[in-house]
Amino acid sequence: MQRRISMPILAAVAILSAGEASADILYQKGSVADQRHFLQVDVSWGELEIGQTDSARNRLVGSSILPPSTGAGSNSAKLTYYTPPLRGFEVGASYTPMPRGNGDMPDPREAMHLVEAALRKTMQFGAISSRLTAGTSWARVRSDSRRLPRQTWMVGTQLAWKSVTLNGDLRQQEEADGASIRSLNAALAYGTGDLTLSLRVRRTVPYQGVAGGQYLADLTYHITPRWQVMADTDIDTSADSLAAVVKVGARLLF
């Protein structure tokens, strides 16, 4: 006689990328496709990732405006937890024992114990989709280190309608020596068919310094699926790096 026992759902599905497995199969938060080594566990109370993954802040708050604030990259081993989505809310937290920092080269003497947290709220208003995000981080760093900020925070929003996307956020980071930098960012992107156009603006206010601006415009046209023609303009009005760069080129994808 066989006896069947019913137990609460405590089973987890663990996936370990031990070689050339594509991260598209493993990532569930819209991360850039890559080949990384990590363990993922999905259970009823959330999702747990251990290994070389994007942090919760980069995954939930990351935007296409400008590069995110300096933080631990995907090559840093970390522990990340995501709560299950609830009424459009997602919450995540990450812990990195020894973040590799801006240069992507390990140096435990400069930074340790990086903690990151993020919140994302997704909403839909007719044909317009919106996203509200907030994130923060804290790390123990040496007073003379410039590779990783001591503290950062960021709040932002995104509105998308058909082929148009509008991003905006406010960021602040405190360096190891106590100096702080605050920046206001905005971006407008338009894509239709083979054409993509984006305009980005950053206004930076350093601690006891002169405010500066950065203005970028990018245009990409796909002649064929493998051939692209690109043009971009980068204007920097900061006091220490006043410059304007215009680039035009072609790209062949293999």
Side-chain angles (χ1 to χ4, degrees):
M1 177 178 179
Q2 294 183 346
R3 183 179 179 183
R4 302 181 62 182
I5 301 176
S6 177
M7 299 182 64
I9 301 177
L10 297 176
V13 180
I15 305 174
L16 175 63
S17 64
E20 298 299 320
S22 171
D24 276 340
I25 301 175
L26 303 176
Y27 287 176
Q28 304 297 325
K29 297 288 186 296
S31 176
V32 177
D34 200 350
Q35 293 175 353
R36 302 165 187 166
H37 302 273
F38 68 96
L39 174 71
Q40 182 190 63
V41 180
D42 292 309
V43 291
S44 59
W45 38 263
E47 177 182 324
L48 186 67
E49 293 180 353
I50 305 174
Q52 297 175 349
T53 67
D54 289 324
S55 67
R57 186 179 57 129
N58 285 351
R59 194 84 66 83
L60 295 180
V61 182
S63 68
S64 59
I65 300 177
L66 287 169
S69 302
T70 305
S74 59
N75 290 329
S76 298
K78 61 180 66 68
L79 173 66
T80 304
Y81 169 72
Y82 298 99
T83 63
L86 178 62
R87 296 184 178 181
F89 283 97
E90 292 180 88
V91 179
S94 301
Y95 170 68
T96 309
M98 296 182 182
R100 292 174 179 261
N102 193 23
D104 202 28
M105 297 181 64
D107 189 349
R109 299 171 301 171
E110 291 195 14
M112 296 182 66
H113 308 302
L114 174 64
V115 179
E116 301 171 89
L119 168 68
R120 179 166 68 184
K121 167 67 173 178
T122 304
M123 298 170 288
Q124 189 75 28
F125 302 99
I128 300 177
S129 61
S130 64
R131 186 181 68 188
L132 302 176
T133 57
T136 186
S137 70
W138 175 89
R140 195 182 79 184
V141 296
R142 285 194 328 196
S143 59
D144 59 346
S145 172
R146 280 287 178 178
R147 299 184 61 189
L148 195 72
R150 176 176 292 152
Q151 294 180 355
T152 68
W153 60 260
M154 178 193 307
V155 292
T157 183
Q158 180 187 84
L159 299 174
W161 177 72
K162 294 184 178 181
S163 301
V164 179
T165 303
L166 177 63
N167 286 280
D169 69 44
L170 177 65
R171 315 179 187 190
Q172 178 169 307
Q173 66 183 46
E174 179 185 326
E175 303 294 343
D177 58 2
S180 63
I181 300 175
R182 180 173 295 184
S183 63
L184 178 63
N185 309 277
L188 178 64
Y190 174 76
T192 177
D194 298 323
L195 181 67
T196 302
L197 174 65
S198 65
L199 304 173
R200 293 170 288 169
V201 178
R202 164 176 283 182
R203 183 69 173 173
T204 304
V205 182
Y207 175 75
Q208 293 183 344
V210 179
Q214 187 177 11
Y215 308 89
L216 302 98
D218 301 285
L219 176 66
T220 303
Y221 181 75
H222 293 259
I223 301 176
T224 70
R226 293 184 178 274
W227 278 100
Q228 300 176 5
V229 176
M230 302 171 296
D232 66 78
T233 302
D234 185 349
I235 301 175
D236 193 338
T237 62
S238 302
D240 56 347
S241 60
L242 182 61
V245 179
V246 178
K247 300 178 182 178
V248 178
R251 175 185 295 171
L252 175 61
L253 303 177
F254 293 94

